[in-house]
Amino acid sequence: MVRHVTIFDTTLRDGEQAPGNTMTPEEKLRLARQLDALGVDVLEAGFPAASEGDARSVREIALELRRPVIAALARCHERDIDLAGEAIREAARGRLHVFLSTSDLHLEHKLRMTRDEALELARRSIRQARRYTEDVEFSAEDASRTDLDFLCQVAEMAIAEGATTVNLPDTVGYALPEEYGRMFEEVRARVAGADRVVWSAHCHDDLGLAVANSLAAIAAGATQVECTVNGIGERAGNAALEEIVMAGKVRPQLARFETSIHTQEIYRTSQLLAYLTGSFPQPNKAIVGRNAFAHEAGIHQHGVLQHGLTYEIIRPESVGIPRSTLVLGKHSGRHALERRYQELGYDLTEEKLTQLYRDFTALADRKREVLDEDLLALLHESFHDAPEEHLLTHLRVICGSVNAEAEVRMTGPWSGERSAQARGDGPIAAAFAAISEILERPVEVINLSLRSVTPGRDSVGQVFLQCRIGGKSLSGQGASTDIVEASARALVHALNKERHAERLEATAYNSTQHWGV
Ligand code: KIV
Ligand code: ZN
């Protein structure tokens, strides 16, 4: 029998929790819209008690997205549950997700509680959550290391109190597939009322087994899996959504489950997340890595050309990776650009097309062939989540064996243009020093990473910057065939976000949140 498995996406909560993945509320909303297009059933939008920013994000997502269930996480604390309940109040379908550790290790060393105390606290919390919604999920954190009798006792209580989903997480990625599957079988067989609830798996990848464990749980009766796009998440990450979904699609006879995911949206979602966080999947990452469909060996290339299925178990188009047939260049017109974006799955507004055509012609002047990856970089670059108040109008650097020197001109919220010259250890340091001087903002660089968007010497360089400005953690990104210019653009992007954050704070918006880092 083929069962429907609910895809519970936690990219915006467990995924975002990992260092370096933090997104602004605007970025979260943009990703949430794409997760909706991807077809996730449940979208865990955040942890409202973590910050006012998280609470606001959950509220905004719940207000706008009416199809998926919007979940908010809460510890078994009264205040957490109230905040999560408030955050999903306007949702068309809201879920309150409460969790408590159940393993003796966590009870003794983290919560300093007895089993009985934990059981009572979980009971009170589920009751409180039920006052906000009928859709309550209970997670027994560290379930895979919990004594089985106690786990059954907790699960039975959760069902009796009205939880509708019971999640048994492998919080520290410790379980092996057979063992994790057996836990689901035994708990489901022993607990009264087991057939009244949805059983959910939530796996971390510390041993590289998160997807295998999720599949084992499905085989053992779980009908919900919690996962993240690109497998991002704490430490080694969470189970990768795209891998679970495609395992079910490619091996239906064995896996015997289906999902509601629109697989053609997988690549687009993966790329959007990567651009928002600056963290791209490793090249050999299954399904979405740059090399996932590249065939270097001649014998493989020959086979794939004769018949795709010889060495390819998934058609790239089925996950939204277009096989490029059209290369654009400086003679390509606006119409060709619009058509290529359409083929890549993006319908552009007239205004966006005008902006992108301008950026495209500037790029085509510097680069002979403009490839799909370049177009994606231009598109993502064009979504500045903060108004572009500071603009870089001129950059010149001199570098070599002597100290580098940069000359920068900018326009901004001041009348007219400002310029500065500065020196630095290298061209990027010099450009940053000149920008800092113009804006009178000291900048502390935390990390700067560079990625070449396409192969080739004329490739566009994409710079992702993490920095601190005025006590705030910020991220910025910039793209150019010149990596010094790309870095300067990334810094200006971060500075624009800082200005945007200041404006929001001035309208009484909480300032403790992170702005993109
Ligand atoms: O890993 C975990 O146990 C969690 C819970 C909060 C579900 O993320
Ligand atoms: Zn987790």
Side-chain angles (χ1 to χ4, degrees):
M1 192 188 60
V2 174
R3 280 166 309 142
H4 182 267
V5 168
T6 296
I7 297 293
F8 177 116
D9 177 90
T10 183
T11 309
L12 287 171
R13 200 277 299 167
D14 223 355
E16 206 245 0
Q17 219 160 292
N21 285 338
T22 318
M23 289 171 253
T24 63
E26 286 86 355
E27 289 168 336
K28 286 186 189 173
L29 187 58
R30 190 134 64 86
L31 185 63
R33 289 183 187 133
Q34 179 56 34
L35 290 169
D36 185 19
L38 178 66
V40 304
D41 301 286
V42 186
L43 196 162
E44 188 163 53
F47 183 10
S51 72
E52 169 52 28
D54 247 46
R56 177 186 135 183
S57 256
V58 177
R59 272 198 306 274
E60 280 178 359
I61 293 170
L63 259 179
E64 183 176 317
L65 302 184
R66 311 307 285 172
R67 184 199 54 83
V69 172
I70 305 299
L73 184 73
R75 290 168 297 187
C76 282
H77 291 178
E78 270 179 38
R79 180 175 169 275
D80 275 33
I81 297 169
D82 286 339
L83 287 170
E86 286 303 326
I88 56 162
R89 192 184 282 287
E90 301 294 333
R93 299 194 292 154
R95 174 176 300 184
L96 226 156
H97 178 190
V98 285
F99 74 100
L100 188 71
S101 289
T102 49
S103 68
D104 287 337
L105 197 68
H106 280 211
L107 288 179
E108 188 182 337
H109 298 287
K110 186 177 107 173
L111 298 177
R112 299 184 197 290
M113 250 180 219
T114 62
R115 287 184 183 180
D116 284 347
E117 284 165 344
L119 194 68
E120 279 321 300
L121 178 59
R123 187 194 308 279
R124 278 202 308 277
S125 302
I126 295 169
R127 278 187 193 162
Q128 186 189 346
R130 284 281 308 199
R131 283 183 225 127
Y132 286 97
T133 170
E134 287 185 354
D135 188 346
V136 171
E137 170 165 338
F138 177 74
S139 282
E141 192 184 5
D142 208 18
S144 54
R145 294 193 298 174
T146 298
D147 171 78
L148 194 67
D149 291 334
F150 184 55
L151 188 60
C152 290
Q153 206 183 340
V154 172
E156 198 161 297
M157 173 282 297
I159 297 168
E161 292 301 334
T164 40
T165 301
V166 179
N167 184 33
L168 305 179
D170 183 28
T171 303
V172 292
Y174 177 74
L176 300 185
E178 202 192 326
E179 180 189 27
Y180 194 56
R182 203 175 331 114
M183 176 183 76
F184 275 86
E185 267 161 19
E186 291 185 8
V187 174
R188 286 181 58 238
R190 284 169 53 176
V191 164
D195 50 359
R196 292 208 307 271
V197 292
V198 168
W199 292 92
S200 171
H202 175 115
C203 301
H204 282 265
D205 211 26
D206 300 67
L207 289 173
L209 292 170
V211 171
N213 284 340
S214 305
L215 297 179
I218 293 173
T223 51
Q224 173 177 288
V225 282
E226 305 194 353
C227 44
T228 60
V229 175
N230 296 346
I232 67 164
E234 293 244 59
R235 308 181 308 278
N238 288 57
L241 177 150
E242 60 280 4
E243 294 178 25
I244 297 174
V245 169
M246 291 315 289
K249 263 261 182 299
V250 174
R251 305 302 308 278
Q253 265 98 11
L254 265 186
R256 286 188 295 170
F257 71 88
E258 57 181 24
T259 69
S260 303
I261 293 297
H262 307 304
T263 61
Q264 299 89 331
E265 294 292 332
I266 285 180
Y267 185 65
R268 222 186 327 278
T269 316
S270 159
Q271 286 286 301
L272 175 61
L273 174 66
Y275 274 99
L276 291 177
T277 57
S279 138
F280 281 77
Q282 82 268 15
N284 62 335
K285 162 83 179 61
I287 321 287
V288 291
R290 181 180 263 181
N291 296 346
F293 296 97
H295 298 278
E296 288 288 340
I299 191 165
H300 287 197
Q301 284 178 351
H302 179 73
V304 169
L305 287 175
Q306 298 299 311
H307 193 296
L309 291 181
T310 47
Y311 286 100
E312 236 172 35
I313 58 163
I314 300 169
R315 282 185 311 109
E317 296 87 338
S318 69
V319 290
I321 302 177
R323 282 194 212 262
S324 185
T325 48
L326 189 68
V327 175
L328 301 182
K330 72 175 181 197
H331 299 297
S332 309
R334 190 183 154 99
H335 186 64
L337 183 72
E338 183 179 24
R339 209 181 66 213
R340 193 64 199 141
Y341 272 118
Q342 267 164 3
E343 282 161 6
L344 291 170
Y346 299 95
D347 277 321
L348 304 176
T349 59
E350 276 302 304
E351 192 191 348
K352 193 89 207 149
L353 181 62
T354 304
Q355 181 193 2
L356 285 172
Y357 188 62
R358 195 193 56 215
D359 298 345
F360 162 76
T361 46
L363 177 63
D365 268 343
R366 294 175 172 196
K367 194 170 183 281
R368 210 163 42 85
E369 292 186 330
V370 180
L371 307 177
D372 290 345
E373 289 89 339
D374 294 316
L375 297 183
L376 291 181
L378 287 183
L379 179 74
H380 289 294
E381 166 84 354
S382 74
F383 284 108
H384 280 271
D385 297 294
E388 285 188 273
E389 293 194 35
H390 302 297
L391 271 178
L392 182 71
T393 53
H394 168 86
L395 169 70
R396 217 179 112 233
V397 284
I398 304 168
C399 63
S401 48
V402 287
N403 241 5
E405 219 179 280
E407 185 185 278
V408 170
R409 277 201 291 277
M410 296 181 71
T411 56
W414 351 273
S415 54
E417 214 174 38
R418 280 194 191 173
S419 64
Q421 285 182 342
R423 288 174 181 273
D425 285 343
I428 295 177
F432 279 20
I435 293 171
S436 282
E437 195 181 312
I438 293 177
L439 298 179
E440 295 165 13
R441 305 298 281 153
V443 174
E444 185 197 337
V445 174
I446 295 166
N447 189 33
L448 186 148
S449 60
L450 170 68
R451 164 179 179 271
S452 136
V453 171
T454 56
R457 292 176 63 173
D458 61 353
S459 167
V460 169
Q462 182 99 33
V463 167
F464 295 95
L465 173 72
Q466 297 177 347
C467 57
R468 286 190 77 75
I469 308 170
K472 287 191 186 68
S473 294
L474 292 135
S475 68
Q477 54 164 293
S480 169
T481 47
D482 177 326
I483 59 169
V484 182
E485 186 187 325
S487 307
R489 289 190 181 287
L491 177 57
V492 173
H493 182 207
L495 285 156
N496 277 322
K497 281 191 184 175
E498 191 221 2
R499 201 168 156 78
H500 183 48
E502 265 174 2
R503 284 186 193 283
L504 288 175
E505 279 161 22
T507 52
Y509 181 47
N510 180 300
S511 64
T512 56
Q513 68 172 303
H514 292 260
W515 284 83
V517 175

